[in-house]
Amino acid sequence: MYRDRFRIGPALALGLGVVLVIGGCLDPGDAEDVDSPAVAGGWSTAGCAVPRIPEHVTVGGARVPVTPPKLDAVMSRIDQAGRAEFRDSFAGLEVDQEHVLAIVYRVPSTPFDDFIRKTAEDMCVQVRDAVHSTAELAVWHDRVLADLPYWNHEGVGIVSVGARHDGSGIEIGVRDVGRARPALVARYGARAPLIIVSADPVRPLPAETSRVAPPPGI
């Protein structure tokens, strides 16, 4: 399945070397999960009963799948309404370009489900249950963010903080999982929706004036 970052804000690099991301998504092969609660359940729109041919473009001699404009527009409307009107239900979005469908993660909600059915029109949208909504995870995200000076002082190397698009929790990338885990659990509690993963430190690109930057014209 192809997964895409859908409408997230630009990453913000702080002096502590932390990248903040809200509403992004992660491919399972990108990091090592330590805690990742799973939820089953959901439904699909009527458009999923219609087989679809994926669209492709050629990039550098290779054919790659793309999101059809109509499906992209449907995802945009769901994303905007989810973040504005249904924050207590909406968790995030995912696109499967090979099968021409969108996946919406949400805490079960009849009003939001009705909105998705109406908005999807004849497009295929799979709706899956989530443990936490964007509103709930935003509270935890902001709490961890506010504590960054504390963790820096404690020597706990936090590299990234972001809400997972499937609503499973706040992913915290750390340099040393073994050291960070007990410290984070002690401060936030064992029931906090935190997913602790191993992550390498952020390496900024060299500035044009840096000695390791290529000479002008190369």
Side-chain angles (χ1 to χ4, degrees), residues 46-133:
C48 295
V50 180
R52 301 176 190 276
I53 300 175
E55 298 184 10
H56 295 80
V57 296
T58 301
V59 179
R63 293 180 75 245
V64 296
V66 295
T67 304
K70 187 172 183 179
L71 179 60
D72 185 68
V74 167
M75 292 175 67
S76 295
R77 291 195 293 270
I78 294 174
D79 179 74
Q80 292 168 8
R83 297 179 188 280
E85 303 172 43
F86 304 103
R87 293 184 69 250
D88 291 332
S89 175
F90 180 67
L93 275 168
E94 179 175 303
V95 60
D96 182 343
Q97 294 169 325
E98 287 288 1
H99 296 92
V100 196
L101 62 87
I103 301 171
V104 179
Y105 293 88
R106 57 82 176 104
V107 177
S109 161
T110 298
F112 191 31
D113 285 359
D114 290 343
F115 174 85
I116 294 172
R117 287 190 183 93
K118 180 179 179 180
T119 302
E121 299 180 355
D122 63 342
M123 291 288 97
C124 177
V125 178
Q126 294 182 357
V127 180
R128 298 181 182 175
D129 293 348
V131 182
H132 309 284
S133 67

